[in-house]
Amino acid sequence: METSMTQPGSLIVSLDFELNWGVHDVFSLEQYGAHLLGARKAIPRMLDLFKQYEVHATWGVVGLLCFVTKQEMLENLPELKPSYRESYFSPYEKLDRVGEDESMDPFHFGASFLRRIAETPHQEIGSHTFSHFYCLEEGQTVEEFEADLIACKNILEKRHVDMKSFIFPRNQTDHYYLEICKKHGVISYRGNENSWVYEASNYGQQHPLKRATRLVDHYINLTGHHTYKLEKSSQNPIINLPASRFLRPYSKKMKMLEYFRLIRIKNSLTYAAKKGEIYHLWWHPHNFGLNLDENMRFLERIFEHVEMLKERYSFVSLNMKEAAQKIQLEHH
C-alpha cells in the first residue's frame, strides 16, 4: 500500500471526564461507586503513560466537577436549567446529595485533577458541558444549552482554561448547538463515527440491534476503520473531529477476545498511518475504574504500536485543539 506523503497520519485521544455527573441518571452510587473511585486512581496512571509516550490528549470535563466547595458550586449555577421532559436526566434535581468538597465527596468533585492534567505536557482541557447536558433529549431548549455552555466557560476560565474543544454528552449533537459553540470561541467538537450504528440519537432510540452490532464491531471490523483526512467541512460551523473508536474496557467475560480487540485497534491505527489519516480514540476515565491493571496494560500496548508507527510513518499525536488549529492554518 502506498504511503501518503501529503501529511502524516495522527492519533487523537479524547476523554470524557465526568465522574458521577455522567452516570447519575443510569446507575446508583451503590451500583457504580467503585468505578468512579477507580477513575480517581486511573487518571494519574493515564497521565503518567501519556507523558511517557508523549501522547497528546483532550479532556472534556463536566463543569460541575471543577468546583472546590459545594458553596462555590451553588453560587455558579446557570440561571436557566434544562427542562427535560424526563426530569431524572437533570443533575440539578440531586444537588442535595452532593457533599461539601472533594475530600468529603469524591464522586462529584475533581478540581485536584484539573491541576494534574494542566501540569502534564500536551494535555488540553475542553468542555463536556456544565451539567452533562443532553442536546437531543425532549424538553430542553437552545437557550438552556447556551446558559449551560456559558456556566462551563466561566468556571473553566476561573481555572485558567481557555475552552476551545467540545465533547457532547452521549455524543448528542445538533447543528444549532454547534453555532452556539462557535459564538463562544469553541473551534472543534468530537462527532460520531460515520455509520448508522453510531448515529447521534437520544437515550430512547438506542436500538438493541445497534448495540449488538457495536459490541461485535469492537472485535471484528464490521463498520470500517473510521479514519479520515484532516480537512475542513463547509457544512459545520466548527471543526468536526469524529470519533474512530470507543476504547471498550477490559471484561473478564470477554477475556478470550482481548487479542481481537487489540488487533482491531492496531489495524486501524496502521491504516491511518499509511493513508495519512486521523484515528480518534476516546473513553471515560471511569471505564478503567475496575480491572485497572488490565486496562492500563491494554492502553500501553496501543501506545507501543503508535511508537512504531511514529518511527515508520512519521505518525503524530495531537489533541483536538492542535488538530483543529492545524486545519485552520491550512485553510487560511
Side-chain angles (χ1 to χ4, degrees):
M1 201 182 281
E2 283 299 297
T3 305
S4 161
M5 282 292 108
T6 47
Q7 55 182 359
S10 41
L11 168 68
I12 297 177
V13 167
S14 63
L15 298 101
D16 302 11
F17 181 27
E18 52 192 42
L19 295 180
N20 195 45
W21 301 111
V23 294
H24 70 90
D25 51 335
V26 185
F27 300 111
S28 67
L29 278 178
E30 291 71 44
Q31 290 171 307
Y32 210 70
H35 288 82
L36 301 175
L37 293 176
R40 300 183 70 90
K41 294 194 182 96
I43 291 169
R45 286 184 58 179
M46 284 176 201
L47 288 170
D48 288 344
L49 203 63
F50 290 169
K51 194 172 176 179
Q52 184 186 338
Y53 286 93
E54 294 189 3
V55 170
H56 299 218
T58 292
W59 299 71
V61 299
V62 166
L64 280 165
L65 266 187
C66 303
F67 297 103
V68 176
T69 63
K70 184 171 184 179
Q71 185 58 38
E72 186 192 19
M73 183 190 289
L74 295 175
E75 284 166 7
N76 288 278
L77 300 179
E79 295 276 309
L80 278 178
K81 299 181 178 61
S83 49
Y84 303 121
R85 204 183 71 187
E86 304 290 351
S87 64
Y88 66 85
F89 284 132
S90 174
Y92 298 113
E93 309 276 311
K94 302 160 192 165
L95 289 182
D96 55 334
R97 297 181 209 168
V98 173
E100 288 309 309
D101 59 23
E102 200 165 351
S103 62
M104 307 274 287
D105 183 350
F107 303 110
H108 294 101
F109 293 90
S112 65
F113 291 113
L114 288 192
R115 288 193 293 277
R116 294 283 291 265
I117 294 165
E119 285 161 7
T120 306
H122 313 305
Q123 305 304 296
E124 176 201 11
I125 295 170
S127 173
H128 195 37
T129 71
F130 183 76
S131 66
H132 208 251
F133 191 103
Y134 302 129
C135 297
L136 298 180
E137 296 303 342
E138 285 180 40
Q140 52 72 37
T141 66
V142 178
E143 293 75 23
E144 290 162 0
F145 174 74
E146 185 163 22
D148 182 280
L149 186 142
I150 291 168
C152 193
K153 187 178 179 177
N154 289 344
I155 182 58
L156 287 178
E157 276 177 1
K158 233 179 180 178
R159 303 289 176 254
H160 313 292
V161 173
D162 184 15
M163 182 176 89
K164 291 292 179 204
S165 302
F166 207 85
I167 295 173
F168 286 87
R170 309 256 158 94
N171 300 312
Q172 294 185 13
T173 43
D174 179 296
H175 190 82
Y176 290 115
Y177 294 32
L178 296 177
E179 294 283 2
I180 290 165
C181 289
K182 183 179 183 180
K183 178 177 158 186
H184 293 284
V186 173
I187 60 173
S188 74
Y189 76 103
R190 187 184 71 213
N192 294 309
E193 296 94 324
N194 189 12
S195 158
W196 69 275
V197 185
Y198 297 103
E199 274 165 0
S201 62
N202 67 29
Y203 203 61
Q205 293 166 330
Q206 291 292 332
H207 194 277
L209 177 64
K210 270 189 179 180
R211 286 192 174 154
T213 309
R214 284 203 299 256
L215 176 64
V216 177
D217 194 39
H218 282 285
Y219 301 95
I220 303 163
N221 187 346
L222 292 182
T223 64
H225 292 297
H226 300 292
T227 62
Y228 51 92
K229 290 273 184 229
L230 204 51
E231 286 167 343
K232 192 169 189 181
S233 150
S234 53
Q235 294 141 341
N236 286 321
I238 55 176
I239 292 163
N240 183 9
L241 299 166
S244 302
R245 171 91 2 231
F246 166 64
L247 182 59
R248 188 183 153 74
Y250 173 86
S251 152
K252 288 196 172 79
K253 275 192 290 200
M254 311 288 264
K255 192 177 166 185
M256 303 301 290
L257 298 173
E258 282 294 275
Y259 168 79
F260 298 100
R261 183 164 77 94
L262 185 63
I263 291 300
R264 170 87 168 98
I265 292 171
K266 281 184 173 182
N267 286 346
S268 296
L269 280 163
T270 303
Y271 180 87
K274 287 179 172 177
K275 290 279 196 183
E277 295 188 344
I278 284 183
Y279 183 79
H280 189 163
L281 187 68
W282 73 278
W283 67 95
H284 311 85
H286 60 71
N287 297 134
F288 280 34
L290 301 186
N291 308 306
L292 179 54
D293 290 339
E294 290 85 350
N295 282 311
M296 290 305 303
R297 226 182 351 261
F298 192 90
L299 187 60
E300 183 155 23
R301 288 166 80 180
I302 293 172
F303 292 163
E304 285 166 359
H305 187 69
V306 169
E307 281 295 289
M308 182 275 288
L309 297 174
K310 284 178 181 176
E311 283 165 30
R312 195 173 293 177
Y313 302 104
S314 308
F315 200 56
V316 295
S317 177
L318 300 171
N319 59 42
M320 287 173 64
K321 178 180 167 183
E322 290 164 342
Q325 286 173 336
K326 208 170 159 182
I327 294 172
Q328 285 178 329
L329 272 175
E330 281 165 18
H331 290 82
H332 262 302

